Amino acid sequence: MAVPRSSLIIAGVLAIFLFSSANGGSIAIYWGQNGNEGTLAETCATGNYAFVNIAFLCSFGSGQSPQLNLAGHCDPYSNACTNLTADIHSCQSKGVKVMLSIGGGAGGYTLNSEQDAADLAQYIWNSYLGGTGKRPLGDAVLDGVDLDIESGNPDYYGTLAAHLKSYSGKGGNKVYLSAAPQCPFPDASVGKALETGLFDYVWVQFYNNPPCQYTPGSTANLLNSWKQWTSAINATYIFLGLPAAPDAAGSGFIPTGSLESQVLPALKGSTKYGGVMLWSKFYDDQDGYSSAIKNHV
């Protein structure tokens, strides 16, 4: 479907606005794992987020048919998720990048060969990006792929990234890549993939890992880890990944006052600073975290 040039220009201006606040950062959010977190269109309509990661493509590799799980939002097996096309278009018209997040904490996925990686890249291209095939989310073309890999063989995600990037520019669409490593460096699951230097955005999970996260009264572990990530990883932008509410993770939540006064000012000295990633939209709704911090990010 052709998009008027004026619409592309407007979306581009909105994207620049969303990503370039007065402080140069933006907010990324995960959506899809709780049916009580509002629709995708409502999520983007808040104006709080520059990126929405649709979570998750949770099963793939080793001969499995890739499976999308969007919890209570829709059932992809009955083609009920194709109604997200309008929501995705709505998000993109507002300048929000919509990414497919693969993996997640539940496991059920692995890549065990270069062929596994090539096959998955082709499937994602044809099903969610600019290719043609059976499309679980309808005809909307997503902006890229997020790797939230937390288990399984780590050896072939770099190959996956290279294959996905090779599709960039085909059909006029750039394929953006992001990843969500745990803060212990190097990450056990996507550390090798990040060595490729192919990733546009890396939202490091600075939670559930006390040695490299914020603790009440101390930013030392977090800031030391941040310096290690920003100095060692060749990525365009690196984000501070946080739980959006105390119940969103076992540990690592940062009260807004501490984030704004102690943490963000120290991070913004890096040219790679991109903003804040939050898990997840459901928890953000409970705490209003993104609304509270967006003018400071």
Side-chain angles (χ1 to χ4, degrees):
M1 181 181 295
V3 179
R5 178 174 173 80
S6 59
S7 297
L8 293 172
I9 293 172
I10 291 169
V13 170
L14 287 167
I16 292 170
F17 175 77
L18 283 167
F19 196 84
S20 303
S21 68
N23 297 308
S26 62
I27 299 175
I29 195 78
Y30 279 83
W31 175 94
Q33 285 300 293
N34 194 299
N36 296 315
E37 63 193 343
T39 68
L40 182 59
E42 289 167 347
T43 297
C44 296
T46 64
N48 289 355
Y49 315 116
F51 305 86
V52 176
N53 296 313
I54 295 179
F56 292 105
L57 187 74
C58 62
S59 297
F60 55 80
S62 295
Q64 298 182 80
S65 296
Q67 296 179 7
L68 180 70
N69 181 309
L70 295 182
H73 288 287
C74 57
D75 176 18
Y77 301 104
S78 61
N79 292 322
C81 296
T82 57
N83 62 8
L84 287 176
T85 292
D87 286 33
I88 293 166
H89 288 158
S90 176
C91 290
Q92 292 170 331
S93 74
K94 295 175 172 64
V96 179
K97 288 185 173 62
V98 183
M99 313 280 282
L100 174 69
S101 186
I102 72 170
Y109 53 84
T110 188
L111 295 180
N112 287 325
S113 67
E114 291 191 358
Q115 189 62 51
D116 252 1
D119 290 346
L120 180 60
Q122 184 176 41
Y123 168 80
I124 292 172
W125 169 253
N126 286 330
S127 301
Y128 297 97
L129 301 176
T132 57
K134 184 177 180 181
R135 301 183 66 84
L137 302 180
D139 64 5
V141 176
L142 300 186
D143 294 289
V145 181
D146 172 62
L147 275 60
D148 182 16
I149 307 302
E150 302 187 25
S151 63
N153 186 340
D155 291 342
Y156 299 102
Y157 288 101
T159 303
L160 174 66
H163 281 292
L164 288 169
K165 270 298 186 185
S166 74
Y167 289 114
S168 195
K170 293 185 178 181
N173 297 305
K174 180 174 180 177
V175 175
Y176 292 92
L177 292 181
S178 64
Q182 307 284 320
C183 59
F185 187 90
D187 181 75
S189 296
V190 294
K192 291 182 179 180
L194 291 173
E195 291 175 0
T196 64
L198 294 172
F199 288 80
D200 302 284
Y201 314 109
V202 177
W203 11 82
V204 183
Q205 298 182 49
F206 289 98
Y207 52 94
N208 291 334
N209 288 288
C212 51
Q213 70 184 34
Y214 172 87
T215 55
S218 176
T219 61
N221 288 348
L222 188 154
L223 297 182
N224 288 337
S225 181
W226 173 264
K227 290 175 184 176
Q228 186 173 32
W229 278 97
T230 54
S231 62
I233 294 299
N234 180 17
T236 309
Y237 292 107
I238 296 179
F239 284 61
L240 174 71
L242 296 175
D247 291 342
S251 60
F253 176 76
I254 305 179
T256 56
S258 298
L259 181 73
E260 294 161 8
S261 64
Q262 300 174 37
V263 177
L264 291 181
L267 305 190
K268 290 178 181 179
S270 171
T271 57
K272 293 180 181 177
Y273 171 77
V276 174
M277 175 276 280
L278 297 177
W279 175 268
S280 62
K281 175 57 165 54
F282 173 76
Y283 290 104
D284 194 23
D285 287 346
Q286 312 309 305
D287 210 39
Y289 200 80
S290 65
S291 294
I293 69 171
K294 67 178 180 181
N295 291 331
H296 302 273
V297 170

